[in-house]
Amino acid sequence: MPVPIPRQRAIPAAESGQAQGAFSPGGPSGEATGGPAGAVPAPQAATTPVDSTTNLTLLVIEDDPAGSLSVPEMLDAAGKPIRIRTARNLTEAERLLTDDVHCILLDLALPAPGRAATQSDDELTTLKHVLRLAPRHAVLALTASGDAERGAQAVRVGAQDYLFRDELDGRLLSRAIRYAVERKRSDKAERRLTESRLRAQENARLERGLLPTPLLEGSSLRFAARYRPGRSRALLGGDFYDTVRTPDGTVHAMIGDVCGHGPDEAALGVELRIAWRALTFAGLCGDELLSTLQQVLEHERENDEIFATLCTVDIAPDGRRAGLCLAGHPSPLISRPGRPAELLPYENGGPALGLLPGARWPRRQVELGGEWSLMLYTDGLIEGHIGEGKERLGQDGMVDLVRRRLAEGLTGEELLRATVNEVRDLNGGELTDDVAVLLLDRTP
C-alpha cells in the first residue's frame, strides 16, 4: 500500500505495488536514489533523454507538513526504480530542478508565490509558474479527488495530465509518468515540426521574391524558367532574373548573377531585381539603366569586392528586333527554324556591375526574325565539369547540348529541364554554382 514520501531514502517498487528491494540512502537534497549515496546531479546542457539505460526521476512539489501525501512504490517500464526528489515550495523546487529530472508531480494545493491557496486562480498561477520554470519537463497535476474540472483546466494550461490525490497507486502513477514524459517529447517534436513548416513557408515567400511571376500580359511571347541554387538545402542563391512588358508593348528580360552563393548574395540579387523592374517601368533602359543599377549595388553590397554580372534584352513590340546589353555576362542563345542555335553577338560588352566606377554599357541592336527562341542563362550552366576531369562544359558545349535537344523537338519547360539535368549528369552530381535559365519563345 502507499507509503509517505521519504526525504532521505528511496522506495523501490513494481507497478503491481510489491516491493522489489531497498534503496541506499540518498543525498541531502531530498532525492531518493536507486544506487550508492550521492549528491544532486549537476545541471546538464539539455534534459537527459529517456532510454533503457536511464532511470526516470520524478520531482514532487507539495506543501504537506503532516506528511499525509503518499507516493506509491514504482518501477519504470524497464524494471528500474523511479527516483523521487521532493520540494516543499517553488524556491526549493527551482534548486532541485536539474536537467536529469524527467517529470514533475505538482500538488495544485501548493500556494502561489506570495499568495494563499484559496482560489483556483492561485492554484493555476502556481502551475503556470512551474511551467515557466521547467519548459522542457513533463508536468503532472495533482488535485483533490473528484475535482476533474480543475484537472482539466491544468491540462489546458499546459500540464501533460492530472491525477487525483487519494487515488494514487503504483501502476497508475508509473504509467502516468511514462505517458507524460513521452507526450512532452511528442509535443516538442510537433513544435519543432511546426517551426520547420513556418521556416519553409518563410523561405517560400523569400523564394517568390527571387523568382518572380513574369508580367507579360498582352504579349504573345511564351515564357519558361528554371532555377537551381548551389547551396545545399537552400532555396535562394545569388542568381536572379525577371521579365516584364511595358505599356508601349516592349518586352524587357534580364538575368544576373551576384558573385557568391550565401544568403547575403541572395538578398542583394533580390534588391537588384526589384530595382531593375522599377527602373524599367520608369522608362530607363540600356546604359542609363545599368549605371543606376551599379549605384544600387555599390550602396547595398557588404564590401567593395562584391560584383554582379547582368544581361538585359528589350524586345520590340513587333517581336522582330531587340536591344542587348551585357555587363560581364554570357551572351544569350538564339535558335530559329532552319538555322543552328547560336550565341548572340557579345562584342563591345561592358564590365560587371560594381567593378569600374563610371563604366559604360553599350546597347547593341540585334535582328531576331519572325520565329525564334531566346535563352538567357547564368554561368552556373556552363561551368560544370565534364566527367571526372577538370574540363568544363563551356559555352560551346552548352550550345551543342541545346542543339541536340532542339533536334529532339523539345521546347519550353521540357527543353530547360532536359538541358539542366544533362548538365548536372555531365558534372557527375549536383552543380556547386547557382543555375538560372530563362526562355522566351515567339511563334507565328
Side-chain angles (χ1 to χ4, degrees), residues 60-285:
V60 180
I61 307 176
E62 55 90 15
D63 183 18
D64 185 25
S68 60
L69 177 62
S70 297
V71 174
E73 304 171 338
M74 294 175 294
L75 289 181
D76 61 20
K80 297 184 178 182
I82 294 179
R83 298 182 297 183
I84 300 173
R85 191 178 297 176
T86 61
R88 293 294 192 187
N89 51 55
L90 295 181
T91 300
E92 186 177 349
E94 185 172 2
R95 178 174 61 84
L96 298 177
L97 188 62
T98 50
D99 287 324
D100 60 337
V101 172
H102 301 96
C103 185
I104 298 171
L105 179 63
L106 172 66
D107 186 356
L108 291 181
L110 186 73
R115 303 171 68 179
T118 58
Q119 302 177 0
S120 60
D121 287 344
D122 291 332
E123 295 168 3
L124 292 181
T125 298
T126 302
L127 173 61
K128 293 175 182 177
H129 184 88
V130 170
L131 292 173
R132 289 193 298 269
L133 189 66
R136 299 193 305 273
H137 296 76
V139 176
L140 290 171
L142 193 63
T143 187
S145 295
D147 197 355
E149 178 58 30
R150 184 168 298 165
Q153 290 176 359
V155 172
R156 285 194 292 270
V157 167
Q160 273 61 58
D161 203 348
Y162 69 91
L163 300 169
F164 294 133
R165 185 177 294 109
D166 60 356
E167 295 183 4
L168 295 180
D169 62 68
R171 184 181 300 276
L172 173 65
L173 184 54
S174 60
R175 184 189 306 118
I177 292 171
R178 296 198 304 272
Y179 168 78
V181 170
E182 291 304 319
R183 182 174 179 182
K184 185 66 176 181
R185 179 185 295 175
S186 176
D187 290 343
K188 290 179 182 178
E190 181 65 27
R191 184 169 60 253
R192 286 194 296 267
L193 179 60
T194 300
E195 292 171 351
S196 178
R197 288 172 177 168
L198 291 175
R199 285 194 298 269
Q201 293 173 3
E202 180 180 357
N203 287 339
R205 289 193 294 270
L206 291 173
E207 184 180 25
R208 285 194 295 270
L210 180 64
L211 309 177
T213 301
L215 300 179
L216 290 174
E217 184 177 357
S219 173
S220 60
L221 301 183
R222 295 185 303 171
F223 171 90
R226 296 286 289 179
Y227 183 81
R228 185 189 299 272
R231 288 186 297 140
S232 175
R233 298 183 180 181
L235 295 175
L236 306 174
D239 291 3
F240 56 98
Y241 65 83
D242 204 351
T243 306
V244 299
R245 181 177 184 267
T246 48
D248 64 356
T250 302
V251 172
H252 303 261
M254 73 89 168
I255 195 165
D257 181 3
V258 177
C259 66
H261 315 290
D264 293 332
E265 289 76 14
L268 182 55
V270 172
E271 292 179 278
L272 292 175
R273 181 194 65 76
I274 294 174
W276 176 88
R277 177 175 283 200
L279 294 171
T280 298
F281 278 121
L284 278 66
C285 70

Side-chain angles (χ1 to χ4, degrees), residues 37-52:
V40 178
Q44 301 176 17
T47 303
T48 304
V50 180
D51 55 34
S52 59

Side-chain angles (χ1 to χ4, degrees), residues 289 315 323:
L289 172 59
I315 303 170

